[in-house]
Amino acid sequence: MKEFEFMLAPMEGITDPEFRELCYRKGADSTFTEMAMIAALSRNNQSTLEKIKITDAVPTYIQLIGANEDYLETFLKAFKPVPGFMGFNLNLGCPSPNMINKGFGSALMKRLSKVNRLVRIIKDHDYPVSIKLRLGMNNYEKKKKIYLNLINEVDADFYVVHAKHGKQAKSSLSDFSIYEGCVATGKVIIANGDIKTREHIKFLRSVGVRGAMIGRPAIKKPNIFKKLKKGDS
Ligand SMILES: Cc1cc2nc3c(=O)[nH]c(=O)nc-3n(C[C@H](O)[C@H](O)[C@H](O)COP(=O)(O)O)c2cc1C
């Protein structure tokens, strides 16, 4: 990872290999696949395998969503890394009721031993593993700072913190004030949510965040990575 890494966020239906390559050429240091269901991958579901396909050695993290350890093990036994593969990312951020009802995504935020077991399985296969999280399922969990428990107790390589809780509307803004507390854990923290300007990058660097993950702003302007990098270093 760079001293400050610019990442393209995982976005369902958007971050296919072509878009990831475009953003890479426009300055993203690394990219993420959209979330892929662990259960479907373990069954070799072709359309799900398609989602995690990496082409042209574009630096890519594969994002997984799910909670079943056996399925994860089955998938990893069959998995063959290709050039560009950087590691796995566990989705602990998705707030969609569809996923929450299954106990996936941000429903896993407080299940620390479960998350640690999933992380351990990936590590036992010698693959890097990171986590993408929210601040909690709702404002109460955010206030109780359950995200800090997760960052402290789970042993992953880095943590992408989407600075919103699960009940916040899409239009409401991310809370940049939480990053200092995350960095104080001593872990590698990547910021995500509403990062658009060089001032944002300056601020994130000043508090010790190690990278910025950018999603929606890159859809219309993939060039944003180069632009943000210009004022940076
Ligand atoms: C259309 C769309 C699809 C998304 N799909 C995923 C996903 O598959 N996995 C995930 O972790 N986050 C997903 N997200 C959330 C983004 O990765 C990111 O956390 C969020 O958009 C905030 O960053 P931004 O303000 O830079 O867009 C999605 C967001 C959008 C807009």
Side-chain angles (χ1 to χ4, degrees), residues 7-217:
M7 297 173 165
L8 169 66
M11 287 183 285
E12 198 171 23
I14 293 169
T15 50
D16 59 11
E18 290 73 27
F19 189 70
R20 296 197 307 262
E21 188 187 353
L22 172 66
C23 289
Y24 178 55
R25 280 195 280 110
K26 301 281 186 189
D29 299 309
S30 52
T31 69
F32 284 63
T33 69
E34 68 177 86
M35 59 184 167
M37 298 271 279
I38 295 171
L41 290 171
S42 77
R43 290 193 304 268
N44 272 328
N45 178 286
Q46 284 310 306
S47 64
T48 314
L49 285 169
E50 227 18 66
K51 293 181 179 179
I52 68 165
K53 215 170 183 178
I54 297 171
T55 52
D56 298 314
V58 172
T60 307
Y61 294 91
I62 292 177
Q63 192 186 61
L64 303 175
I65 187 158
N68 185 294
E69 293 154 49
D70 294 336
Y71 291 156
L72 180 59
E73 185 64 50
T74 305
F75 160 62
L76 290 175
K77 272 188 187 142
F79 177 75
K80 302 259 180 306
V82 297
F85 171 69
M86 306 282 286
F88 290 105
N89 176 262
L90 285 178
N91 180 321
L92 264 57
C94 186
S96 116
N98 222 355
M99 294 296 166
I100 300 286
N101 291 340
K102 295 191 176 90
F104 301 169
S106 57
L108 281 169
M109 286 277 306
K110 288 197 289 191
R111 297 190 61 198
L112 302 184
S113 30
K114 165 61 107 182
V115 177
N116 260 324
R117 287 199 298 276
L118 296 170
V119 164
R120 167 66 25 220
I121 290 171
I122 297 174
K123 285 191 166 181
D124 284 347
H125 282 267
D126 280 337
Y127 297 125
V129 54
S130 60
I131 296 205
K132 182 166 181 273
L133 62 139
R134 283 198 180 230
L135 302 179
M137 292 241 279
N138 48 44
N139 197 33
Y140 176 75
E141 289 189 358
K142 174 187 171 184
K143 281 200 172 135
K144 288 197 75 176
K145 302 192 176 174
I146 63 148
Y147 53 98
L148 290 183
N149 295 345
L150 183 105
I151 295 169
N152 275 316
E153 300 299 327
V154 171
D155 187 20
D157 301 327
F158 64 86
Y159 305 78
V160 180
V161 183
H162 181 187
K164 277 169 117 174
H165 63 72
K167 290 277 189 289
Q168 276 182 261
K170 277 208 168 128
S171 54
S172 70
L173 290 178
S174 299
D175 180 357
F176 280 56
S177 74
I178 56 91
Y179 291 124
E180 277 185 86
C182 296
V183 169
T185 61
K187 306 277 184 102
V188 176
I189 304 296
I190 308 292
N192 171 241
D194 306 294
I195 302 168
K196 291 187 189 126
T197 65
R198 288 187 202 159
E199 284 66 39
H200 288 152
I201 301 296
K202 225 185 204 170
F203 167 76
L204 294 172
R205 279 178 167 279
S206 76
V207 296
V209 165
R210 288 284 310 279
M213 172 184 271
I214 294 164
R216 291 164 302 173

